[in-house]
Amino acid sequence: MRRVASGLAALTTAAALAACGLATPPAAVPAAAAAGEYLVFYADGGRGEALAAIERAGGTTVSTDLRLGYALAKGGGDAFVTALGASPSIVGVSTDRRIGFASAHPAAHPVDRTARAAGPAGGVADPTTGHAAYPDATALASEQTAGEPLAGRQWDMRMIGADRANKKAPGTRKVLVGVIDTGIDGRHPDIAPNFNRELSRNFVTDRPEDPDGDTLDGPCEVSDCKDPVDRDDDGHGTHVASTIGSPVNGIGIAGVAPRVQLVNIRAGQDSGYFFLKPSLDALTYAADIGVDVVNMSYYVDPWLFNCANNPADSKKQQLEQRAIITGMQRALDYARKKGVTLVSALGNGATDLGRPTIDRDSPGYPRGQERVRKVTNSCLNVPAESKGVISVSSVGPSGRKALYSDYGVEQTDLAAPGGDLLDGKDASATRAILAAVPEDALRRGGKLDKSGKPKTADVVRDCRDGACSYYQYLEGTSMAAPHATGVAAILVSRFGKPGKGGVALDPATVERLLYRTATPRACPRPRAYGYKIYGETEKHVCQGGKSKNGFYGHGIVDAWKAATVNR
């Protein structure tokens, strides 16, 4: 899930198959302006002292957010942060990286910042017995033609009964689903009918270069570097939105809840980075407009694991990580209290989150600053390990936990289809999740020829009446989470009462019903499941019982049960 989901977009099928292959800029704004802006989080009742501390440190307060308890301040670099850290009223300080600046460098193919490097997923053999621990998934990739034109490729929807649920409980337009991601292509034929352009917002500004002058988002597509609300230059957010709510319209695929409204609440850069301020803005906005469910298939940059007191980190780095932990928890609490059900991808690091030992990916921005540091269970992946969040692991077509998926008996709440290319004999793109992607992103990535024909096996084109739409196979917990989000939307549609935005259902009730309707799945035997990867074996140990364990949480989400359960 880095950085999508977390962060976030998920591993591309082509990459896993070793074959993976977005304007005229305005005048440049100096990078130093952004570097001197900070989010200063203060303790309860500490606002006055925090503002005084900012002034004593030589800074100025730009604004304050009373909802989340922080000030946006301008200051003079590391010395300013260190001085703030000495005040007992201040609990965290983070650089505000939201402001971009223009560049003439050519655009680069977006980096998938949501999928942490986990190596290729695969292997179904039990290393101790030599027998398959799970059935070969190849037979599950049917080419049946019932339903939407590409329904035969949607093994994920059949696994969770969404193909049947679509007919009985497709959701309602009174339900608003917020996609906090890299954007949504609201013009895509299999998105547009359910896309709410009026409510959609973009909380990021494209950043062509990072502070080191290396290409980040690439040249801005519009003069102010702030993309329209119906654009997704990365493609990850569109894929997520499609899984949640692509309509039944005779085109392409159908989502889990094909009649809900999709709201783009963009917090991710084109390059896939998700910084703190846009994430806070996205969550508070979702809460204030009456969004019912949000999907977060990412983690907050630049730290994969946020440690409040890691001796390996500098004081400034500790303060930044405390700011991420504190700020995001306050924003999540704010949203949940206003009726927003919070769903997150668990992560793609193939890690037991209850026993992390090494973080090789932090700090992940700017690129090249990563280092190996020791971490413990006191360090948190945010938002997946934040309180009040429903975190989702990934399974392949056979139902086994995907190799790349993080896990943990305390951290895994639910499981859902996210794809597993090697879940069967050899590798197959069809074992990933098929959903809509922007044509522009595919062209920039070199995946289409001049006529629009796909050049790679992970891209599918569906043409109707002279118009074509595009879909891509992707795998990752970024792809698993939106299945759970769609099931949550079904529950809100069925049991919600009139409320802000349309209908509302208490997040605690949604969570209870999600767990109640999930299909429990026990740990494999032996519990130390072995994944065969090119002749080598990697073992993941599953803890817990059938009703709640580290691989599957309370079970695999079930749309059909959600569509038929009595409250």
Side-chain angles (χ1 to χ4, degrees), residues 99-122:
I99 301 175
F101 59 96
S103 165
H105 286 290
H109 181 61
V111 176
D112 178 359
R113 308 301 296 175
T114 59
R116 301 202 297 276

Side-chain angles (χ1 to χ4, degrees), residues 509-523:
T509 300
V510 179
E511 183 175 349
R512 175 178 60 81
L513 291 172
L514 277 171
Y515 297 165
R516 178 180 163 192
T517 57
T519 301
R521 189 175 180 92
C523 289

Side-chain angles (χ1 to χ4, degrees), residues 414-488:
L414 290 166
D420 190 342
L421 302 186
L422 301 182
D423 188 4
K425 185 179 180 181
D426 300 322
S428 174
T430 62
R431 299 190 194 113
I433 305 301
L434 187 70
V437 290
E439 179 180 350
D440 291 347
L442 293 175
R443 288 191 180 279
R444 283 188 295 272
K447 291 182 173 292
L448 306 178
D449 66 18
K450 292 182 179 180
S451 70
K453 182 179 178 180
K455 295 164 61 177
T456 58
D458 61 317
V459 176
V460 178
R461 179 174 65 170
D462 182 40
C463 299
R464 308 282 157 176
D465 300 323
C468 296
S469 54
Y470 291 88
Y471 305 81
Q472 188 172 16
Y473 284 104
L474 298 177
E475 66 170 3
T477 56
S478 286
M479 281 59 256
H483 288 85
T485 298
V487 175

Side-chain angles (χ1 to χ4, degrees), residues 28 105 118 144 155 237 270 273 284 295 470 500 524:
H105 286 290
Q144 66 187 53
W155 60 266
D270 285 350
Y273 283 99
T284 52
N295 188 94
Y470 291 88
K500 188 171 185 178

Side-chain angles (χ1 to χ4, degrees), residues 155-162 256 417 483 487 556-560:
W155 60 266
D156 52 321
M157 298 301 174
R158 294 192 293 279
M159 173 182 279
I160 67 172
V256 178
H483 288 85
V487 175
I556 299 174
V557 296
D558 193 313
W560 175 248

Side-chain angles (χ1 to χ4, degrees), residues 8 68 70 150 152 160 167 264 360 383 407 409 424 433 464 487:
L8 62 172
L68 304 186
Y70 73 88
L150 300 179
I160 67 172
K167 300 179 179 64
N264 172 25
R360 294 182 173 87
Y407 57 103
V409 69
I433 305 301
R464 308 282 157 176
V487 175

Side-chain angles (χ1 to χ4, degrees), residues 40-402:
V40 182
F41 292 86
Y42 48 82
D44 291 343
R47 177 176 176 272
E49 172 55 29
L51 299 185
I54 291 170
E55 185 174 353
R56 287 196 303 269
T60 57
T61 299
V62 178
S63 62
T64 58
D65 190 319
L66 300 179
R67 299 168 301 178
L68 304 186
Y70 73 88
L72 178 63
K74 289 186 177 181
D78 290 0
F80 174 69
V81 175
T82 300
L84 289 179
S87 171
S89 67
I90 292 173
V91 296
V93 183
S94 173
T95 302
D96 179 15
R97 300 181 173 89
R98 63 178 172 158
I99 301 175
F101 59 96
S103 165
H105 286 290
H109 181 61
V111 176
D112 178 359
R113 308 301 296 175
T114 59
R116 301 202 297 276
V124 294
D126 184 321
T128 57
T129 64
H131 299 301
Y134 296 110
D136 188 322
T138 304
L140 302 178
S142 167
E143 287 292 338
Q144 66 187 53
T145 57
E148 296 293 85
L150 300 179
R153 298 172 178 260
Q154 292 186 279
W155 60 266
D156 52 321
M157 298 301 174
R158 294 192 293 279
M159 173 182 279
I160 67 172
D163 53 340
R164 293 181 291 156
N166 282 353
K167 300 179 179 64
K168 185 174 182 63
T172 170
R173 294 191 63 78
K174 294 181 180 180
V175 169
L176 301 177
V177 178
V179 179
I180 303 180
D181 215 290
T182 60
I184 298 177
D185 180 5
R187 304 158 297 173
H188 193 288
D190 223 1
I191 294 284
N194 289 341
F195 182 67
N196 190 315
R197 182 174 279 96
E198 180 180 358
L199 291 178
S200 293
R201 295 290 186 275
N202 175 13
F203 290 104
V204 304
T205 302
D206 287 350
R207 176 177 287 225
E209 295 179 343
D210 68 16
D212 296 329
D214 294 329
T215 299
L216 188 66
D217 295 329
C220 299
E221 289 82 13
V222 293
S223 60
D224 62 355
C225 292
K226 199 173 186 70
D227 291 336
V229 297
D230 62 354
R231 188 180 183 101
D232 176 17
D233 291 326
D234 179 275
H236 181 269
T238 300
H239 196 281
V240 166
S242 176
T243 295
I244 296 167
S246 271
V248 176
N249 59 351
I251 299 173
I253 68 165
V256 178
R259 291 191 64 184
V260 301
Q261 293 193 67
L262 300 168
V263 184
N264 172 25
I265 311 178
R266 181 177 168 184
Q269 305 288 143
D270 285 350
S271 50
Y273 283 99
F274 290 77
F275 298 123
L276 180 57
K277 183 64 162 61
S279 295
L280 302 179
D281 291 342
L283 283 164
T284 52
Y285 176 73
D288 290 341
I289 66 170
V291 164
D292 296 290
V293 191
V294 296
N295 188 94
M296 300 174 288
S297 286
Y298 71 95
Y299 71 84
V300 179
D301 288 291
W303 300 91
L304 170 57
F305 287 102
N306 292 273
C307 311
N309 296 292
N310 193 328
D313 301 327
S314 69
K315 184 62 176 179
K316 178 183 178 182
Q317 291 172 334
Q318 291 176 356
L319 286 168
E320 180 174 57
Q321 292 169 78
R322 292 175 196 171
I324 292 171
I325 294 170
T326 300
M328 281 297 289
Q329 191 61 64
R330 290 177 180 179
L332 293 163
D333 290 344
Y334 180 83
R336 202 166 192 267
K337 287 177 182 177
K338 288 212 167 189
V340 183
T341 296
L342 308 163
V343 180
S344 172
L346 191 59
N348 299 343
T351 300
D352 183 346
L353 294 179
R355 293 175 172 80
T357 57
I358 298 293
D359 177 4
R360 294 182 173 87
D361 297 328
S362 303
Y365 180 85
R367 297 186 188 113
Q369 294 192 2
E370 300 89 342
R371 56 187 169 84
V372 177
R373 62 178 186 145
K374 294 181 179 180
V375 295
T376 68
N377 195 29
S378 65
C379 304
L380 302 177
N381 181 298
V382 178
E385 293 189 86
S386 300
K387 296 177 182 177
V389 175
I390 299 167
S391 295
V392 187
S393 67
S394 176
V395 301
S398 73
R400 74 167 190 176
K401 184 191 79 69

